Amino acid sequence: MGNKLNDPIARLMGLRYKSHPWHGIDVGDNAPNSVMAFIEMVPTDTVKYEVDKTSGYLKIDRPQKYSNVVPALYGFLPQTYCGKSVGEYCSEKSGKENVQGDSDPLDICILTEKVISHGDIIAEVRPIGGFRMIDGKEADDKIIAVLMNDATYGAYTDISDCSDVVVGRLKHYFLTYKDMPGLESEAEITHIYGVEEAHEVIVRSMNDYKTKFENLEDILRHV
C-alpha cells in the first residue's frame, strides 16, 4: 500500500537535495505490515527534538526539564497525517465524541536491543500495536514497532509479546513527559491495542495524508 510520490524525477532530485523527512521519504511499499520510520529521538537524548515541518531540519523543541527519558527510539511515519479519519476511528473505539486528529504525522516508538546513538535517521520497522492516546480532544496515537531483524524484539508480532515492564515504561513516558508542576494533564491512554488496530490506524493516517496533500504528487511531478 505504498504511495507513488517517489517517482523517477523525485528520486533524481534526491541525489542532489536532501529529501524532506515528512514528504520526501516513502513510507514503504509493504505498509502497513512494515514501514519506514524517521527517528527524531533516542533514549540518550536529554533534549526533545522534532522535525521542523517547513524546512525538514531537526530542531530543538525543548530541553527535558525533569528525569523523563524516552524509553525507545521515537519518531514518525513519513507521508502520514492524523486527520479526520484517524480522529473518527479514535472516537469509534474510545466512545468519546468529536475527537479530532492532531494534524501531525503519525508517531511511532521502536523497540530494539541496540544502542542507537542519534536521531535524524530512517529505519525499516514492523508495527506490533499501539496506544490510543487522546490529548485535549485530539487523537495522538503512538504506534509501537520493532526494528526489523532485531535479535531481541525482531520476532515479536503483536504487542502481547512484550513484557508488562516494557509496555508500562512506554505508557508512563507518554503520560508524563509533558507534565508541568501545578498544571493538570489532559492526556490519557484509553486503550492498548494490537497489530490489527495498529495497521488500521496507519492506513487511515496514510489516507488522511493523501487527502490533506492531494496536490503534492502533481507538484513533485512537475518540478
Side-chain angles (χ1 to χ4, degrees):
M1 295 188 64
N3 56 70
K4 299 178 181 179
L5 289 178
N6 281 353
D7 60 20
I9 294 178
R11 290 178 185 274
L12 287 173
M13 289 181 64
L15 297 176
R16 187 174 181 89
Y17 305 104
K18 180 180 178 180
S19 296
H20 194 292
W22 187 10
H23 305 294
I25 298 173
D26 197 334
V27 69
D29 291 336
N30 198 35
N33 297 301
S34 65
V35 293
M36 190 65 69
F38 181 82
I39 297 168
E40 297 168 296
M41 294 180 61
V42 300
T44 54
D45 287 332
T46 57
V47 171
K48 185 179 183 299
Y49 301 101
E50 68 175 35
V51 163
D52 178 73
K53 294 183 179 65
T54 301
S55 68
Y57 281 90
L58 204 62
K59 70 176 182 179
I60 295 175
D61 181 43
R62 62 177 180 272
Q64 301 284 38
K65 295 182 180 297
Y66 304 105
S67 58
N68 291 32
V69 176
V70 61
L73 306 179
Y74 182 65
F76 63 86
L77 295 185
Q79 295 175 7
T80 62
Y81 180 77
C82 295
K84 181 180 179 181
S85 182
V86 171
E88 288 176 345
Y89 190 62
C90 183
S91 284
E92 173 190 334
K93 290 295 185 177
S94 68
K96 296 180 179 294
E97 297 181 353
N98 302 319
V99 177
Q100 308 293 319
D102 68 356
S103 301
D104 279 332
L106 182 61
D107 295 328
I108 191 165
C109 214
I110 303 153
L111 302 173
T112 177
E113 68 154 349
K114 297 300 183 182
V115 176
I116 308 297
S117 61
H118 63 86
D120 199 20
I121 55 176
I122 58 176
E124 186 179 4
V125 305
R126 188 174 67 253
I128 61 170
F131 295 157
R132 180 162 294 109
M133 185 166 173
I134 302 175
D135 190 356
K137 280 287 187 178
E138 291 185 338
D140 192 14
D141 286 73
K142 310 297 183 186
I143 299 298
I144 309 300
V146 296
L147 188 66
M148 295 290 282
N149 301 315
D150 188 81
T152 298
Y153 298 99
Y156 289 14
T157 59
D158 190 86
I159 200 167
S160 60
D161 294 327
C162 294
S163 70
D164 292 341
V165 171
V166 170
V167 174
R169 186 178 293 145
L170 291 167
K171 185 177 180 180
H172 178 266
Y173 174 77
F174 288 120
L175 288 176
T176 60
Y177 77 104
K178 291 183 180 179
D179 282 0
M180 294 291 288
L183 298 179
E184 185 175 346
S185 175
E186 294 184 320
E188 61 174 325
I189 293 175
T190 63
H191 300 86
I192 299 172
Y193 50 77
V195 64
E196 290 186 3
E197 287 193 41
H199 286 174
E200 179 68 19
V201 173
I202 292 169
V203 170
R204 284 173 176 260
S205 71
M206 291 168 64
N207 290 335
D208 278 343
Y209 179 89
K210 291 175 183 177
T211 299
K212 175 68 175 179
F213 301 103
E214 59 182 345
N215 296 320
L216 184 57
E217 184 173 349
D218 290 335
I219 293 172
L220 286 175
R221 284 182 174 175
H222 292 89
V223 170

